[in-house]
Amino acid sequence: MRYEYLTGNIAIAEASIVSGLKFYAGYPITPTSDIFEHLARELPKYGGHVIQFEDEIASINAVVGASWACAKAMTATSGPGFSLMLEALSLAVITETPLVVAYVMRTGPSTGVPTRSGQYDVLQSTYGFHGGLVIPVLAPSTPQEAYDLTVKAFNISEKLRTPVVLLSDAVVAHTYGKVAIRERSEVEIVDRSKPSTPLSEYRPYDPVDGLVPPMACFGEGYSVLVESLTHDERGYYAPRSDAQRKLMWRLYRKITESSGKLFDYSSLYLDDCDVALVSYGSTALSTQVAAKTLRERGVRACSLKLKTLFPIYEEGISKLLKNVEKVFVVENNVGLYYRELRGILKDRDVVSVPLIDLDVPLPQEVVGVVDKWL
Amino acid sequence: MRYEYLTGNIAIAEASIVSGLKFYAGYPITPTSDIFEHLARELPKYGGHVIQFEDEIASINAVVGASWACAKAMTATSGPGFSLMLEALSLAVITETPLVVAYVMRTGPSTGVPTRSGQYDVLQSTYGFHGGLVIPVLAPSTPQEAYDLTVKAFNISEKLRTPVVLLSDAVVAHTYGKVAIRERSEVEIVDRSKPSTPLSEYRPYDPVDGLVPPMACFGEGYSVLVESLTHDERGYYAPRSDAQRKLMWRLYRKITESSGKLFDYSSLYLDDCDVALVSYGSTALSTQVAAKTLRERGVRACSLKLKTLFPIYEEGISKLLKNVEKVFVVENNVGLYYRELRGILKDRDVVSVPLIDLDVPLPQEVVGVVDKWL
Amino acid sequence: MAVTHPLDPYLRVDRIPTMWCPGCGLGIALGAILRAIDRRIEEGLLKKENIAFVGGIGCTARMTLYPYFDSAHVIHGRAIPFAIAVKVVKPEMKMVIVGGDGDIAAIGGNHLLHALKRNADLLVIMVNNMTYGMTGGQLAPTTPRGLYTTTTPYGNPERELNVIKLAAALGANYVARSSITHPQLLERTIYKALAKRGLAFVEVLSTCPEIFGRHIGLRNPVDLYMELKKKVTVKTNPSIEESDYDWGRGFVIGEFVDRDEPGFLDTYREYISKSFGGGAV
Amino acid sequence: MAVTHPLDPYLRVDRIPTMWCPGCGLGIALGAILRAIDRRIEEGLLKKENIAFVGGIGCTARMTLYPYFDSAHVIHGRAIPFAIAVKVVKPEMKMVIVGGDGDIAAIGGNHLLHALKRNADLLVIMVNNMTYGMTGGQLAPTTPRGLYTTTTPYGNPERELNVIKLAAALGANYVARSSITHPQLLERTIYKALAKRGLAFVEVLSTCPEIFGRHIGLRNPVDLYMELKKKVTVKTNPSIEESDYDWGRGFVIGEFVDRDEPGFLDTYREYISKSFGGGAV
């Protein structure tokens, strides 16, 4: 282990190499291009490939292809590019393709302010693709978290055979911080489980035991079928309600039943708290300070920073906040993740604190809104 | 007024003509192509244009362009195509471009079962685009509702200068029903408000009074600016937090503050109800029968069919269900709109009834699940 | 399971019969492709486990469902980037893209354009039935001008896209037009294309009696087949000008381009290995 | 507000200075375009209120921010379908698409391809600075082979896309290459292109000293300008073969195609009016 000063974007790039990234495809977009550029220089040194494609659609479809060629694969993008990638993310969900998308949020909608920050896309990151299932979403608020959650994102993607969204933002992307860099030998790296059946008996969508099927890839003799249609365990088209039910519920359960294992958060003063400030990503930096400020003023405030946004660990979050009277959900948007939390914290007052700022909303803004409710 | 037997898709096509549609751009996709084909034959008779583009991305961008050329404009698509359209829907949101997307849901994710039905895309329809704002979503369950809600969709789009999603599904699309067809003179048609300022003083994003700016279009001498960047009232790029806040909150409020006016529903036995079955789209057909069945068995059941899904009229829905003990949310998906409703019905038991079926889930399936909870 | 046909080892025989309509030209195309592959395997140029089929959406793309190779049936228009990535990661693979005119040249047009520009190491087989068959007969970029389709009920006002000309202008290593009415020639074309580095593009004129036949008034599969056959002229080394795409005047089939420039993989690896002494890749 | 420059009536003068870097070629391009438009307005061929600029994303697309016409600054790569729709609905409009090589030929490639195929009635001006300027110097489809860019730090392994050849192969009515190093010629080219029906495609070679200049070792605007000027050869009626795209050997500028086939709008309206006696459209 060693320490370096890195931005969130470079932390993502470095962590992806440690995680075993072997293929990156991308298209330039602010504020993610430096992930791409860093990898273009560094990844070939580790035998990996970095290719620029003609657009984001080609990039994400290439990432899907690379993953089926056994390579850990990633792309990075921002709002307009992520919107273009959603059709292929839906493909990755139904074909159970491990891959990571680093989604560095900027100010939207549409072109918005490309160089500046926001958290407008938190619901899009998991509800954006057609098909109504869940993609795991992790949100860093510091370069160190960007590093650690990137490793985690690759591990989840391989373990659960799923696309994973690493949801960063323009502030985290370009803020420098001290990052503990771990060598590959120091990090737990998960690789997809490989089939143990004879070549001719392999069924690419058969979970055997559990919910996640072992994954063979191209060129190994398994004659795999990557199938975007509703399919049975062999990958054969199965336009029947029973097949659809079986596939949908398995795809849903493999993600949602892992919500406890995937859950990651950090907190301040949670043991002794009446007023909880919940946030994520760069806004959490202000929220932590706001909690301290309120404490200094005698309010029993605490802060809960969520690093796993989806799947939502409902019981876990509910339990963490069980002794709290009031929950404030602080976000740099019109109040989006609040919609999720109010649904699972039914017996508590949940208040939305939507603060729109091209950078991080200031702690005093957070305190100001909370004050009105106290 | 006259009556005809029409499918949901043809009802959409006919209603769009009555609503003043002048431009349709599309790309073939099951189960929507007959909307396109019907309009290709009929719309030119009314001086309108129907053009096939090379993909769904071109189609929706053409629709945005046509709307700025003063034409009421529409496209129709299904899951894979809608995913491709999201970047441009985000453009339509920030540029406040009136347009209608008929989204006929099929079975997903990805290619799924293209010819069959589901309700997987209900959250994607409004959370799918980057930018974190709200697109109004209307959901018909019969050909008559498809007709009426199409007229309503065009009116909302013009009144609020917004894209509107008409969220149908493959069952509604291809089921025949008796439809009261109204002539243009019998229908209230809303047209966008036009500027009353001199040419050189017009500001395309200035709401003047209220929240919706009058809209000039190309070729009228106003030198309009269609701007995808965060902009001020003139349409000039404004990369500042105050400009972003002002624009975001206006765009948000113009939709959400209309939620009461946009709200549309129908119900059975709601006045006298302990157990409410809430649903939308084709699933509502079964839910209504299930409510009757339960009544016959002595359960004080009722059904609430939502025709407006977004923006959610929280107070209205809450009030409709205020005397109900238990709310069952019946959907042909893994339980998606349930996530919204449980958040606004905090003091009631809200139960998800996710029934996955390539057609309409049968009433007895609904009754079966409800029975377990009673 | 008794082997009853010489191509059975290359087929998922439990999925036969195919989903294609009676009289569809795709069966002929698939047979020719598999025979060409068989010859290349017999010769030792290809290995069965290193062949992959990739297709988007449409009747032709469903050709990925039947061969007993690695296969991907992905999303509409996006087979090419998927395949490029597989090839970059595993250069020993032979990537065969199968798609209709809509999949490859309408929605997939940009990926074809850039694959051609890169001379990406792919065999792209575009089966051209001149319509959208699977969705019921809408306009394709290859639909003859003037024809009535379900989305152009007053006649198609657009010029046809000549994909041969596009492929030649952008520098593919191999550009040929063939036809299911000439199965042996088709097989030889595919056989040759399989040995090329860089991008090999083969357009296969085909028959869709169910849909295109309805548009053109030839719903009987044999009638449509004979009509297409009449329209096809075989030429040796025709010029690009002779590739003109015209249902009225007929089609020249043959090899329009046959060159041997470095493929994308060659130059990509050359650039990387120049910097890393070949060690990294 | 005092008019201080003859082009001021065509500019949103309150938005000047532009966002472009000092030494950027885009100012020269915009000046030439506006002078050409001015001449056409003076002649009575165009009306100010019927001119619209449409651009996607990139430095060139921001050219839509300054002219005092109807303008749309939309999303990356999608200016063309937006513009086609405006033209179909309001045929009296003159649609001018302005975009960089990335906007028009990378992400926007498919819309260009199909607009060419349709001979859509648009003037497409692609300003080619051979890099992604706005995002800081990534590979463009037009970046010279071998060049080091931020996303190809070991050299660009790809062939360049010759968009002139693409436009000619697909049948645009007018295909020209010009250069900001020859502003009068550029103005004449745009002037001529403004009068064409169907698709007129003009590539404008331009200089990005800040980004491309850094890649190529010529950050001084004058040096890069002079270098590009040296590489440019003006020809009268050059052949398509002479359009070869090669930074090393230089570029021929001139008119490669000038024909007068019916545009999309002509044939579209002909087909509809045949069926409705001209009454409906």
Side-chain angles (χ1 to χ4, degrees):
Chain A
M1 189 161 82
R2 65 189 195 282
Y3 290 92
E4 284 191 31
Y5 274 89
L6 302 178
T7 61
N9 271 358
I10 303 307
I12 289 171
E14 282 290 319
S16 70
I17 296 172
V18 168
S19 303
L21 181 72
K22 283 289 174 288
F23 185 89
Y24 181 97
Y27 186 79
I29 189 168
T30 304
T32 72
S33 298
D34 47 349
I35 298 176
F36 188 175
E37 292 164 351
H38 188 83
L39 288 171
R41 281 194 308 277
E42 299 301 321
L43 196 58
K45 300 176 185 167
Y46 300 87
H49 306 278
V50 178
I51 314 271
Q52 183 170 328
F53 276 82
E54 54 273 18
D55 61 16
E56 287 93 346
I57 296 176
S59 302
I60 185 71
N61 281 282
V63 164
V64 174
S67 187
W68 279 98
C70 313
K72 290 192 184 181
M74 177 169 89
T75 187
T77 193
S78 192
F82 191 78
S83 285
L84 287 171
M85 290 182 180
L86 288 162
E87 191 196 12
L89 281 176
S90 194
L91 171 71
V93 167
I94 203 171
T95 56
E96 302 181 68
T97 307
L99 61 86
V100 174
V101 179
Y103 186 166
V104 187
M105 289 183 283
R106 60 192 220 184
T107 309
S110 200
T111 314
V113 185
T115 54
R116 306 292 287 281
S117 200
Q119 299 183 309
Y120 308 126
D121 309 312
V122 59
L123 297 184
Q124 186 206 26
S125 66
T126 204
Y127 296 132
F129 67 99
H130 68 283
L133 289 166
V134 189
I135 291 178
V137 180
L138 309 178
S141 67
T142 65
Q144 181 70 61
E145 287 177 9
Y147 189 90
D148 296 339
L149 293 178
T150 299
V151 174
K152 184 167 178 149
F154 276 96
N155 285 347
I156 294 170
S157 78
E158 294 282 321
K159 178 97 182 160
L160 299 182
R161 270 187 72 176
T162 180
V164 176
V165 172
L166 184 69
L167 190 71
S168 183
D169 61 53
V171 168
V172 177
H174 294 130
T175 303
Y176 277 86
K178 190 174 168 186
V179 179
I181 300 278
R182 290 169 292 165
E183 305 304 322
R184 177 127 194 195
S185 58
E186 299 170 307
V187 182
E188 195 211 342
I189 298 295
V190 178
D191 291 309
R192 60 192 75 172
S193 109
K194 305 291 293 179
S196 52
T197 41
L199 293 181
S200 65
E201 286 168 30
Y202 173 63
R203 308 195 319 160
Y205 305 98
D206 181 351
V208 191
D209 43 9
L211 292 168
V212 185
M215 184 172 175
C217 53
F218 278 31
E220 296 183 327
Y222 285 98
S223 303
V224 297
L225 283 174
V226 180
E227 181 54 82
S228 67
L229 291 160
T230 293
H231 46 260
D232 63 17
E233 286 73 12
R234 297 169 298 176
Y236 287 15
Y237 185 33
R240 301 183 309 271
S241 285
D242 62 336
Q244 178 69 17
R245 260 175 231 138
K246 193 171 177 187
L247 180 61
M248 283 293 279
W249 285 117
R250 182 171 67 72
L251 295 176
Y252 183 69
R253 287 178 53 210
K254 77 172 182 177
I255 306 296
T256 54
E257 292 184 5
S258 298
S259 64
K261 279 188 202 152
L262 306 187
F263 189 57
D264 206 346
Y265 72 97
S266 76
S267 63
L268 275 179
Y269 320 120
L270 198 56
D271 292 340
D272 161 35
C273 177
D274 295 336
V275 173
L277 311 184
V278 182
S279 61
Y280 54 89
S282 63
T283 302
L285 303 171
S286 281
T287 308
Q288 289 167 327
V289 177
K292 284 182 199 170
T293 307
L294 287 164
R295 281 245 150 207
E296 283 159 14
R297 283 181 21 203
V299 179
R300 283 156 47 98
C302 62
S303 117
L304 172 62
K305 173 169 72 179
L306 297 173
K307 301 185 202 173
T308 312
L309 297 179
F310 296 99
I312 299 188
Y313 183 36
E314 301 192 358
E315 311 84 305
I317 293 176
S318 192
K319 205 171 151 196
L320 281 174
L321 297 173
K322 68 175 182 299
N323 295 321
V324 166
E325 282 166 21
K326 227 177 178 78
V327 176
F328 292 87
V329 185
V330 186
E331 310 174 78
N332 193 342
N333 58 40
V334 296
L336 299 170
Y337 200 71
Y338 155 75
R339 303 178 75 87
E340 297 289 334
L341 290 181
R342 70 172 176 178
I344 62 176
L345 299 168
K346 293 192 68 152
D347 46 348
R348 243 74 41 82
D349 263 358
V350 185
V351 179
S352 180
V353 185
L355 298 171
I356 288 169
D357 200 296
L358 298 187
D359 299 304
V360 181
L362 296 175
Q364 49 268 44
E365 282 188 81
V366 180
V367 172
V369 177
V370 171
D371 263 342
K372 283 188 212 155
W373 289 85
L374 291 181
Chain B
M1 189 160 84
R2 65 189 195 279
Y3 289 94
E4 283 192 31
Y5 273 91
L6 301 178
T7 62
N9 272 357
I10 302 307
I12 289 172
E14 283 289 320
S16 70
I17 297 172
V18 168
S19 303
L21 181 72
K22 283 290 175 286
F23 185 88
Y24 180 98
Y27 186 78
I29 190 167
T30 303
T32 71
S33 297
D34 47 348
I35 297 176
F36 189 176
E37 293 164 350
H38 188 83
L39 287 171
R41 280 194 307 280
E42 299 301 321
L43 196 58
K45 298 177 187 168
Y46 300 86
H49 305 279
V50 177
I51 314 271
Q52 183 170 329
F53 276 83
E54 53 273 18
D55 60 16
E56 287 92 347
I57 296 175
S59 301
I60 184 72
N61 281 282
V63 164
V64 174
S67 187
W68 278 98
C70 315
K72 290 193 185 181
M74 176 170 88
T75 186
T77 192
S78 191
F82 191 77
S83 285
L84 288 172
M85 290 182 180
L86 288 163
E87 192 197 12
L89 281 177
S90 194
L91 171 70
V93 166
I94 203 171
T95 56
E96 303 181 67
T97 307
L99 60 87
V100 175
V101 179
Y103 186 167
V104 186
M105 289 184 284
R106 59 193 221 184
T107 309
S110 200
T111 315
V113 184
T115 53
R116 307 290 288 280
S117 201
Q119 299 183 309
Y120 308 126
D121 309 313
V122 60
L123 296 186
Q124 187 207 25
S125 66
T126 204
Y127 295 133
F129 66 100
H130 68 281
L133 288 166
V134 189
I135 292 177
V137 179
L138 309 178
S141 67
T142 63
Q144 181 70 62
E145 288 177 8
Y147 189 90
D148 295 339
L149 293 177
T150 299
V151 174
K152 183 167 178 148
F154 276 96
N155 285 348
I156 294 171
S157 77
E158 295 282 321
K159 176 99 181 159
L160 300 182
R161 270 187 71 177
T162 180
V164 176
V165 172
L166 184 70
L167 190 71
S168 182
D169 61 51
V171 168
V172 177
H174 295 130
T175 303
Y176 277 87
K178 189 174 167 185
V179 178
I181 301 277
R182 290 169 294 163
E183 305 305 322
R184 179 132 192 190
S185 58
E186 299 169 308
V187 181
E188 195 212 345
I189 298 295
V190 178
D191 291 309
R192 60 192 75 172
S193 107
K194 305 291 291 178
S196 52
T197 42
L199 292 182
S200 64
E201 287 169 29
Y202 174 62
R203 308 196 316 162
Y205 304 98
D206 180 352
V208 193
D209 43 8
L211 294 167
V212 184
M215 184 173 176
C217 52
F218 279 31
E220 296 182 326
Y222 285 98
S223 304
V224 297
L225 283 174
V226 180
E227 182 53 83
S228 67
L229 292 159
T230 292
H231 47 259
D232 63 17
E233 286 71 14
R234 295 169 299 176
Y236 286 17
Y237 184 33
R240 301 184 310 271
S241 286
D242 61 336
Q244 179 69 19
R245 261 177 229 137
K246 192 172 176 186
L247 181 60
M248 282 295 279
W249 286 117
R250 183 172 65 74
L251 295 177
Y252 184 69
R253 287 177 54 208
K254 77 172 182 178
I255 307 297
T256 53
E257 292 184 6
S258 298
S259 64
K261 278 188 202 152
L262 307 187
F263 188 57
D264 206 346
Y265 71 97
S266 75
S267 64
L268 275 179
Y269 320 122
L270 198 55
D271 294 338
D272 159 35
C273 176
D274 295 335
V275 174
L277 310 184
V278 181
S279 61
Y280 53 89
S282 64
T283 302
L285 304 171
S286 281
T287 307
Q288 289 167 327
V289 177
K292 284 183 198 167
T293 307
L294 286 164
R295 282 243 149 206
E296 283 160 13
R297 282 185 18 207
V299 180
R300 282 154 49 97
C302 62
S303 115
L304 173 62
K305 173 169 72 179
L306 297 173
K307 300 185 202 172
T308 312
L309 298 179
F310 295 99
I312 300 188
Y313 183 36
E314 302 191 358
E315 311 84 307
I317 293 176
S318 191
K319 204 171 152 195
L320 282 175
L321 297 172
K322 68 174 183 297
N323 296 320
V324 166
E325 281 166 22
K326 229 179 176 78
V327 176
F328 292 87
V329 185
V330 186
E331 309 175 78
N332 192 342
N333 58 40
V334 296
L336 299 171
Y337 200 72
Y338 156 74
R339 302 178 76 85
E340 298 289 334
L341 289 182
R342 69 172 176 177
I344 62 176
L345 300 168
K346 294 191 67 152
D347 48 345
R348 244 73 43 80
D349 264 356
V350 184
V351 179
S352 179
V353 185
L355 297 170
I356 289 170
D357 199 297
L358 299 187
D359 298 304
V360 181
L362 296 175
Q364 49 268 43
E365 284 188 81
V366 181
V367 172
V369 177
V370 171
D371 264 342
K372 284 188 211 154
W373 287 87
L374 292 181
Chain C
M1 182 166 49
V3 174
T4 56
H5 187 280
L7 292 178
D8 274 1
Y10 301 122
L11 285 167
R12 298 177 192 267
V13 286
D14 59 343
R15 301 193 85 174
I16 309 292
T18 69
M19 49 77 68
W20 299 318
C21 306
C24 176
L26 280 164
I28 297 173
L30 179 57
I33 294 167
L34 292 180
R35 284 191 302 275
I37 287 174
D38 180 47
R39 284 170 58 194
R40 288 298 188 190
I41 289 176
E42 289 299 312
E43 280 174 13
L45 185 86
L46 297 179
K47 284 187 188 155
K48 182 177 181 298
E49 65 269 27
N50 291 340
I51 297 165
F53 274 51
V54 186
I57 296 297
C59 296
T60 304
R62 294 244 177 140
M63 208 187 264
T64 55
L65 273 57
Y66 307 112
Y68 197 34
F69 305 119
D70 289 327
S71 288
H73 180 230
V74 293
I75 54 181
H76 198 28
R78 318 303 175 189
I80 284 175
F82 182 106
I84 288 176
V86 173
K87 182 74 180 173
V88 166
V89 175
K90 294 202 157 188
E92 68 275 21
M93 297 295 291
K94 172 56 73 176
M95 303 307 297
V96 181
I97 280 100
V98 284
D101 36 289
D103 201 28
I104 298 283
I107 192 167
N110 207 30
H111 310 306
L112 176 65
L113 191 165
H114 286 273
L116 290 163
K117 174 244 186 207
R118 288 187 181 107
N119 209 12
D121 302 82
L122 307 170
L123 166 54
V124 179
I125 301 172
M126 185 186 89
V127 181
N128 177 5
N129 64 3
M130 302 166 196
T131 192
Y132 279 65
M134 185 167 270
T135 47
Q138 295 82 12
L139 182 69
T142 48
T143 301
R145 193 170 194 158
L147 197 71
Y148 297 80
T149 77
T150 61
T151 49
T152 56
Y154 305 110
N156 168 24
E158 297 198 33
R159 304 189 295 201
E160 305 90 341
L161 183 64
N162 180 350
V163 191
I164 295 292
K165 225 168 159 185
L166 173 73
L170 290 171
N173 265 356
Y174 186 76
V175 182
R177 183 183 281 148
S178 198
S179 171
I180 60 113
T181 55
H182 295 65
Q184 283 84 3
L185 192 56
L186 172 58
E187 181 189 323
R188 282 206 299 278
T189 305
I190 302 290
Y191 172 80
K192 184 156 176 189
L194 281 166
K196 302 294 297 185
R197 64 172 174 173
L199 201 141
F201 179 84
V202 180
E203 176 180 12
V204 182
L205 301 173
S206 186
T207 54
C208 172
E210 193 63 39
I211 306 288
F212 186 72
R214 193 174 64 211
H215 289 339
I216 208 132
L218 291 168
R219 270 192 91 164
N220 181 305
V222 177
D223 293 345
L224 182 59
Y225 184 93
M226 295 313 291
E227 180 70 15
L228 178 61
K229 193 165 189 174
K230 263 195 297 189
K231 289 184 180 296
V232 163
T233 308
V234 183
K235 283 215 176 173
T236 312
N237 304 321
S239 73
I240 291 297
E241 286 65 40
E242 290 177 287
S243 75
D244 268 0
Y245 186 99
D246 192 322
W247 176 260
R249 284 182 297 163
F251 305 94
V252 168
I253 67 174
E255 292 176 352
F256 294 94
V257 173
D258 183 10
R259 53 193 160 200
D260 188 40
E261 289 191 19
F264 172 71
L265 216 62
D266 295 314
T267 48
Y268 167 72
R269 294 164 97 186
E270 180 199 326
Y271 275 82
I272 299 292
S273 64
K274 253 192 332 208
S275 303
F276 297 102
V281 182
Chain D
M1 185 165 49
V3 173
T4 57
H5 187 281
L7 291 178
D8 274 1
Y10 301 121
L11 286 167
R12 297 176 193 267
V13 285
D14 58 344
R15 302 193 84 175
I16 307 295
T18 69
M19 49 77 67
W20 299 316
C21 306
C24 175
L26 280 165
I28 298 173
L30 179 56
I33 294 167
L34 292 180
R35 284 191 299 276
I37 287 174
D38 180 48
R39 285 171 58 195
R40 288 300 188 190
I41 289 175
E42 291 297 313
E43 281 175 10
L45 186 85
L46 296 180
K47 284 187 189 155
K48 182 176 180 300
E49 65 267 30
N50 291 339
I51 295 165
F53 274 50
V54 187
I57 296 298
C59 296
T60 304
R62 293 245 179 139
M63 207 186 265
T64 53
L65 272 58
Y66 307 112
Y68 198 34
F69 305 120
D70 289 327
S71 288
H73 180 230
V74 293
I75 55 181
H76 198 27
R78 319 301 175 190
I80 286 176
F82 182 107
I84 288 176
V86 174
K87 183 74 181 175
V88 165
V89 174
K90 294 202 155 186
E92 68 275 20
M93 297 296 290
K94 170 57 71 175
M95 303 307 297
V96 181
I97 280 102
V98 284
D101 35 289
D103 201 30
I104 299 284
I107 193 168
N110 207 30
H111 310 305
L112 176 65
L113 193 164
H114 285 272
L116 290 164
K117 174 243 187 207
R118 288 187 182 107
N119 209 12
D121 302 82
L122 308 170
L123 166 53
V124 179
I125 301 172
M126 184 185 88
V127 180
N128 177 6
N129 64 3
M130 302 168 195
T131 191
Y132 279 63
M134 184 167 270
T135 50
Q138 295 82 12
L139 183 70
T142 48
T143 300
R145 193 168 193 159
L147 197 71
Y148 298 81
T149 77
T150 62
T151 48
T152 57
Y154 306 111
N156 169 22
E158 296 197 35
R159 306 191 292 203
E160 305 90 341
L161 183 65
N162 181 349
V163 191
I164 295 292
K165 224 167 160 184
L166 174 72
L170 290 171
N173 264 356
Y174 185 75
V175 182
R177 182 183 282 147
S178 198
S179 171
I180 59 112
T181 55
H182 295 65
Q184 283 83 6
L185 192 56
L186 173 57
E187 181 189 323
R188 281 206 299 278
T189 305
I190 302 290
Y191 172 81
K192 184 154 176 190
L194 281 166
K196 302 294 298 186
R197 64 171 174 174
L199 200 140
F201 179 84
V202 179
E203 177 180 12
V204 182
L205 301 174
S206 185
T207 55
C208 173
E210 192 64 34
I211 307 287
F212 186 73
R214 194 173 65 212
H215 290 338
I216 209 134
L218 292 169
R219 270 192 91 164
N220 180 304
V222 176
D223 294 346
L224 182 59
Y225 184 93
M226 295 313 291
E227 180 70 17
L228 178 61
K229 193 165 187 174
K230 264 196 297 190
K231 289 184 180 295
V232 164
T233 309
V234 183
K235 285 214 174 172
T236 311
N237 303 321
S239 73
I240 291 298
E241 286 65 39
E242 291 178 286
S243 76
D244 269 0
Y245 187 98
D246 191 323
W247 177 260
R249 285 183 296 165
F251 307 92
V252 168
I253 67 173
E255 293 176 350
F256 295 95
V257 173
D258 183 8
R259 53 192 161 202
D260 187 40
E261 288 191 21
F264 172 71
L265 215 63
D266 296 313
T267 49
Y268 166 72
R269 295 163 97 185
E270 179 198 327
Y271 275 83
I272 299 292
S273 65
K274 254 195 327 210
S275 304
F276 297 102
V281 181

